[in-house]
Amino acid sequence: MKAPELDGAKDWLNTASPLKLKDLRGKIVLLDFWNLSCVNCFHTIPILKELQKRHPNDLVVIGVHAPKYDSEKDTKPLQDAVRRMELEHPVVNDADNVIWSAYGVKAYPTIVLIDPEGGLVKMLLGERSYQQLDQQVNQLIEKYKKNGKLDEKPLVISPEPARDTTPLSFPEKLCLDAKRKLLYIADSGHNRIVVAGFDGKLVNVIGTGQAGFADGSYDRAQFHHPRGLAVSNNILYVADTQNQRLRKVDLDKQIVSTISGDGVLNEYISPPDFGDAKQARLNSPWDLVMAKDRLYISMAGAHQIYALFFNNNHMYVFAGSGEEGLTDKPLLDADLAQPSGITFSVGKVYFTDSESNSVRSADINPKTGKVKTIVGKGLFDFGDVDGPLNKAFLKHPLGIITAGNKLYVADTLNHKIKRIDLVSKTVSTVWGTGKPGNAVGNHPEFNEPNGLAIDGQKVYIADTNNNEIKVGDLSNGQVSAFKISGLTSPNSSRH
């Protein structure tokens, strides 16, 4: 069966002109159907990079982006995602799902292999290991090398222009240290942690700024797209997402160490008790919160929340069956869908369940606790609707913080900051127009806001795709930019 041609796309990235399968005869083509909001799709990306690196002359990888939300049909957010994830292979914006439909794809990620004669070889649904895909590619290489139909000239690509060397690059999560009057920023695109005073002065930079993994002093440590942060006494905890590890930063000794994860993605449904946290394997740790001498971790890739108990150093599954969905049940029976932001207040963990477009809570009592949905209807029920909780809709919320009886939520793909009042049981917009932009003052605009932190009347906001931090003042409604004096990109000559 011949593979359908790659027609009907809106735009192409990382290539000077649209690619046609008929022009790729002699090459093994791997199509990766993915979505920029899908954490399980992110797991495939390093595997594809490794495959392309190993087979540069024989294999052509093409990412086919299929939108879930209308806003993802635009090329600009896709372009931002390509840069953020450092994708080097060609990516096609299948905005109207034409290619998706032609191949009969039902879910992402889905991998499609096409032989050098343009024949459809195999469709692989869900995450696949490097070994599985490499075996498939090697079999095709051997077969077509023998019959002389393999074109071994490398394909010339045109990577997207590098983003300006802004001081911050796609900052995602924040953490306030009220004792030290410091703001910790996960400068995810720069693979480092930035420490600034409330006055905007740079205090320190943790990490070299180069993607990698290394423990040690601040100037030697390495992270790979760090996200969640939590501080307790003299320790800063870091969710080192792409390294699949939890890191500990001793703020007095200025040393980084690893407390959980071995760098290998956990591909299996997790046991309730992992045992020693150092032996636990993680699945995209996204955000962190400290509560009751425990570290709660939103494990986005596993659709679960983990908890590290410091009294015995064991890692446990706190909530989530491991199945993706929106089902309210006792803690370990409930279905979650890519839990992202996480916070704590009065015996409950609150979290944004981004793929189900919801905000949910979980009582921390392991015997009687239940997961309850506060706002949200399901994986494909989303919108931008304020009002009573049972009628409100969000769109892929990623950040959350508590303040008394209120929750502040980064409604990411609505480009808004919203407030959930747990007493009046209503949702309202605090800031944002509903469209991506970059503005401060009385009518601020954001571009995919993410992490939040709060100090009294001030809400700190990671305005991720604008590469900056903003501060909203609840007392007067004003939003301003939080500039960090002395901070530069690690790509420039100095920090």
Side-chain angles (χ1 to χ4, degrees):
M1 177 182 174
K2 291 293 181 183
E5 192 50 85
L6 304 177
D7 293 328
K10 181 174 182 177
D11 284 306
W12 284 79
L13 302 175
N14 285 344
T15 178
S17 58
L19 300 180
K20 296 285 187 181
L21 291 180
K22 66 180 182 180
D23 299 327
L24 297 175
R25 295 291 188 264
K27 298 289 187 187
I28 297 159
V29 178
L30 185 155
L31 303 180
D32 173 34
F33 287 87
W34 69 292
N35 177 269
L36 62 83
S37 301
C38 165
V39 67
N40 301 99
C41 298
F42 302 165
H43 297 161
T44 303
I45 290 169
I47 294 172
L48 299 182
K49 288 183 178 182
E50 189 62 31
L51 282 171
Q52 189 72 81
K53 182 179 178 181
R54 182 170 182 183
H55 306 290
N57 301 330
D58 311 310
L59 177 67
V60 175
V61 175
I62 300 174
V64 182
H65 182 265
K68 173 178 178 178
Y69 306 102
D70 285 346
S71 59
E72 293 174 340
K73 293 182 178 182
D74 294 336
T75 299
K76 180 60 170 66
L78 176 58
Q79 193 173 43
D80 285 337
V82 166
R83 288 171 173 161
R84 184 168 66 243
M85 299 174 194
E86 300 168 341
L87 301 187
E88 298 174 348
H89 56 258
V91 175
V92 55
N93 182 3
D94 188 24
D96 296 317
N97 291 319
V98 175
I99 303 172
W100 171 282
S101 298
Y103 279 82
V105 178
K106 302 298 182 185
Y108 31 68
T110 292
I111 299 292
V112 174
L113 284 171
I114 300 169
D115 67 34
E117 295 180 296
L120 187 61
V121 177
K122 189 164 288 190
M123 293 183 67
L124 303 168
L125 177 65
E127 294 182 48
R128 299 288 166 159
S129 69
Y130 171 80
Q131 290 76 13
Q132 287 175 303
L133 293 179
D134 189 51
Q135 181 182 37
Q136 298 284 338
V137 171
N138 276 323
Q139 289 174 354
L140 290 171
I141 289 174
E142 290 178 14
K143 176 180 177 180
Y144 285 92
K145 188 174 282 189
K146 284 181 181 179
N147 64 21
K149 294 183 178 180
L150 193 66
D151 177 4
E152 298 189 74
K153 291 186 297 182
L155 179 72
V156 178
I157 63 170
S158 303
E160 288 297 296
R163 175 176 288 276
D164 293 339
T165 54
T166 51
L168 295 172
S169 176
F170 301 108
E172 294 208 26
K173 298 297 182 184
L174 307 172
C175 178
L176 277 177
D177 187 341
K179 177 182 176 182
R180 295 177 174 82
K181 296 185 178 180
L182 296 176
L183 177 67
Y184 302 100
I185 303 166
D187 189 12
S188 302
H190 283 151
N191 304 293
R192 64 183 183 175
I193 310 301
V194 172
V195 187
F198 289 178
D199 57 1
K201 291 182 180 178
L202 179 66
V203 174
N204 229 320
V205 173
I206 307 172
T208 65
Q210 299 300 309
F213 168 70
D215 287 335
S217 59
Y218 283 9
D219 61 346
R220 293 180 179 274
Q222 290 185 322
F223 303 89
H224 197 177
H225 288 171
R227 288 187 171 91
L229 305 169
V231 67
S232 178
N233 298 319
N234 67 326
I235 300 296
L236 176 70
Y237 297 96
V238 181
D240 195 4
T241 306
Q242 209 147 317
N243 273 326
Q244 308 299 338
R245 290 179 167 99
L246 295 181
R247 315 290 290 279
K248 182 177 80 170
V249 181
D250 189 311
L251 298 171
D252 294 335
K253 297 179 180 178
Q254 298 195 349
I255 294 292
V256 178
S257 58
T258 300
I259 59 172
S260 186
D262 62 0
V264 178
L265 180 74
N266 180 24
E267 299 177 0
Y268 306 100
I269 297 292
S270 306
D273 182 357
F274 284 92
D276 189 341
K278 289 185 178 181
Q279 308 303 318
R281 285 189 169 171
L282 311 181
N283 193 325
S284 288
W286 216 260
D287 202 4
L288 307 173
V289 67
M290 278 289 300
K292 307 292 185 182
D293 294 321
R294 303 167 191 169
L295 184 66
Y296 291 91
I297 307 127
S298 57
M299 204 63 64
H303 309 297
Q304 293 175 310
I305 296 173
Y306 290 5
L308 197 168
F309 283 48
F310 289 103
N311 63 342
N312 62 4
N313 203 44
H314 274 219
M315 183 76 80
Y316 298 90
V317 175
F318 163 68
S321 66
E323 297 294 332
E324 185 176 24
L326 183 69
T327 306
D328 291 350
K329 288 183 178 180
L331 293 175
L332 296 181
D333 298 325
D335 295 336
L336 315 184
Q338 204 170 306
S340 300
I342 190 168
T343 188
F344 178 86
S345 180
V346 195
K348 289 184 179 180
V349 167
Y350 294 91
F351 60 99
T352 57
D353 212 27
S354 58
E355 273 296 278
S356 65
N357 312 287
S358 65
V359 172
R360 308 174 76 179
S361 69
D363 298 309
I364 64 170
N365 189 314
K367 295 182 179 179
T368 62
K370 293 182 179 181
V371 172
K372 297 180 180 179
T373 300
I374 299 170
V375 178
K377 306 291 185 184
L379 271 67
F380 294 94
D381 298 298
F382 50 83
D384 183 6
V385 180
D386 292 347
L389 296 181
N390 61 354
K391 294 183 178 180
F393 286 94
L394 307 172
K395 188 187 293 184
H396 203 78
L398 289 177
I400 188 169
I401 196 72
T402 60
N405 292 318
K406 297 178 177 64
L407 305 174
Y408 289 89
V409 177
D411 193 4
T412 303
L413 292 188
N414 280 324
H415 312 286
K416 288 183 173 184
I417 306 303
K418 295 195 175 184
R419 177 169 47 226
I420 298 175
D421 191 314
L422 298 174
V423 176
S424 65
K425 298 184 178 180
T426 57
V427 178
S428 58
T429 296
V430 183
W431 295 296
T433 64
K435 294 182 179 180
N438 191 2
V440 294
N442 287 323
H443 303 286
E445 295 179 336
F446 308 92
N447 192 343
E448 297 192 14
N450 193 322
L452 303 175
I454 193 165
D455 178 40
Q457 294 294 303
K458 291 187 176 181
V459 180
Y460 293 80
I461 304 158
D463 194 3
T464 300
N465 282 2
N466 281 325
N467 301 295
E468 69 176 13
I469 308 303
K470 288 186 169 75
V471 185
D473 192 328
L474 294 170
S475 65
N476 60 21
Q478 291 282 320
V479 172
S480 58
F482 182 76
K483 302 294 184 182
I484 304 172
S485 60
L487 180 68
T488 61
S489 165
N491 299 320
S492 58
S493 58
R494 62 184 177 86
H495 283 308

